[in-house]
Amino acid sequence: MKIALLGYGRMGKTIEKIAKSRGHEVVVKVSDDIDNYDLDAESVDVAIDFSVPTAAFKNITTCFRKQIPVVSGTTGWLDDYEKAKKICSEENSAFIYASNFSLGVNIFFELNQKLAGMMQSLEDYSAEIEEIHHTKKLDAPSGTAISLAEQIIDVNPRIKGWQLEDADKDEIPVYAKREEDVPGTHTVKYDSEIDSIEIKHTAKSRQGFALGAVIAGEYLKDKTGIFTMKDVLSDLFKN
Ligand SMILES: NC(=O)C1=CN([C@@H]2O[C@H](COP(=O)(O)OP(=O)(O)OC[C@H]3O[C@@H](n4cnc5c(N)ncnc54)[C@H](O)[C@@H]3O)[C@@H](O)[C@H]2O)C=CC1
Ligand SMILES: O=C(O)C1=N[C@H](C(=O)O)C[C@H](O)C1
């Protein structure tokens, strides 16, 4: 598979190593305005965007207009997600966005949804989310923390939204901590006067995010449409 890396920072470099170890080739590395690079569907099978929030939408939609399928992991640009999906459909291109491509986190998402379903009728418990990341991270809270909050909100009619730190009674507080070199730690906690329940995912490196993104690219190559990591995992585990 011929890959264009849109963003060649911590994640771009980790993806390059994993892609090469799986027999793929990185043919373009985009580090600034995408218009400065030659990209076409003949020479690129899949673009993988791990760039910056301000560049993601332009990077992604430029590829859709060239019929290049896009795996997007950049966080902090999701106000434009619906617009991006519309352009993907209009251009008959292909798209997977995930706030977190790690297989472990996607299993953690399933656990979170299951636990949220069990807790929604127990009014004595209040939910909160904590995320810890390295100090270079540009956005807060993390995309993964937002996904976790939205999964709880979807099944719990008493919770209306989420808020960074100072939340109202009907909102989930999300605490974002920044510590040197932490790849990504997420905890969902339910607390009552009697006890507390916690589920936690700790990434030990960026390998898991990068492997998931390359597997998503392998899935997306030669497809059209809009997919999620659920589709990728169902395909991976179908046997
Ligand atoms: N979905 C997931 O599984 C994961 C998502 N992320 C997200 O991926 C993004 C990148 O993370 P890192 O690699 O740690 O950041 P980074 O800061 O190391 O790399 C970003 C790179 O993008 C480059 N860049 C700047 N303008 C650009 C443009 N117009 N087009 C292309 N590249 C441009 C920068 O020069 C930089 O090298 C962040 O939004 C982060 O939250 C990170 C890890 C996992
Ligand atoms: O910026 C990061 O590093 C990460 N970002 C993603 C997020 O915002 O959830 C995923 C992962 O936790 C690492």
Side-chain angles (χ1 to χ4, degrees):
M1 181 167 80
K2 289 172 284 179
I3 298 173
L5 290 176
L6 314 183
Y8 192 58
R10 288 174 290 271
M11 279 304 296
K13 290 180 179 126
T14 313
I15 290 168
E16 181 180 39
K17 279 196 199 113
I18 299 218
K20 283 185 175 165
S21 75
R22 293 173 73 87
H24 306 307
E25 190 189 351
V26 173
V27 291
V28 189
K29 294 171 193 170
V30 173
S31 292
D32 49 51
D33 194 331
I34 194 166
D35 293 340
N36 297 333
Y37 299 80
D38 272 338
L39 287 170
D40 60 64
E42 242 96 274
S43 54
V44 175
D45 293 315
V46 170
I48 303 185
D49 186 285
F50 283 75
S51 59
V52 288
T54 47
F57 180 73
K58 179 172 179 186
N59 286 349
I60 293 164
T61 52
T62 300
C63 290
F64 292 157
R65 295 200 163 95
K66 295 170 186 277
Q67 277 72 51
I68 299 172
V70 180
V71 172
S72 164
T74 307
T75 53
W77 66 277
L78 278 206
D79 287 350
D80 287 328
Y81 179 57
E82 292 303 321
K83 240 193 295 174
K85 286 203 298 186
K86 187 164 175 278
I87 295 169
C88 177
S89 301
E90 285 164 1
E91 298 293 338
N92 206 24
S93 192
F95 188 32
I96 293 184
Y97 167 78
S99 60
N100 200 308
F101 278 94
S102 135
L103 304 188
V105 162
N106 283 277
I107 291 165
F108 184 65
F109 283 159
E110 300 282 328
L111 283 177
N112 181 50
Q113 284 160 334
K114 175 86 181 155
L115 182 60
M118 295 170 83
M119 299 305 290
Q120 58 99 10
S121 58
L122 302 179
E123 295 192 18
D124 292 340
Y125 288 87
S126 58
E128 66 179 61
I129 294 171
E130 180 191 81
E131 57 101 334
I132 311 174
H133 284 85
H134 55 95
T135 50
K136 307 255 170 19
K137 185 160 177 61
L138 296 179
D139 53 320
S142 67
T144 308
I146 296 172
S147 298
L148 289 164
E150 285 173 348
Q151 288 160 7
I152 297 170
I153 293 160
D154 277 351
V155 297
N156 191 327
R158 284 179 290 112
I159 303 178
K160 304 289 180 234
W162 60 267
Q163 199 61 247
L164 202 53
E165 310 220 332
D166 290 327
D168 289 335
K169 214 177 158 5
D170 60 356
E171 292 172 327
I172 304 175
V174 183
Y175 300 99
K177 296 187 178 167
R178 297 293 172 257
E179 295 173 11
E180 212 58 45
D181 296 333
V182 175
T185 301
H186 292 89
T187 307
V188 178
K189 180 174 174 182
Y190 292 86
D191 195 40
S192 77
E193 284 203 355
I194 293 171
D195 57 10
S196 62
I197 302 169
E198 281 184 27
I199 54 171
K200 180 175 180 180
H201 178 274
T202 307
K204 295 185 177 177
S205 71
R206 293 187 173 80
Q207 295 256 116
F209 312 134
L211 175 62
V214 174
I215 290 173
E218 290 165 357
Y219 172 86
L220 201 59
K221 180 181 176 293
D222 299 327
K223 285 193 174 61
T224 55
I226 294 157
F227 303 92
T228 67
M229 274 306 273
K230 264 191 197 291
D231 301 308
V232 177
L233 294 181
S234 315
D235 186 63
L236 197 64
F237 298 133
K238 72 181 171 217
N239 300 320

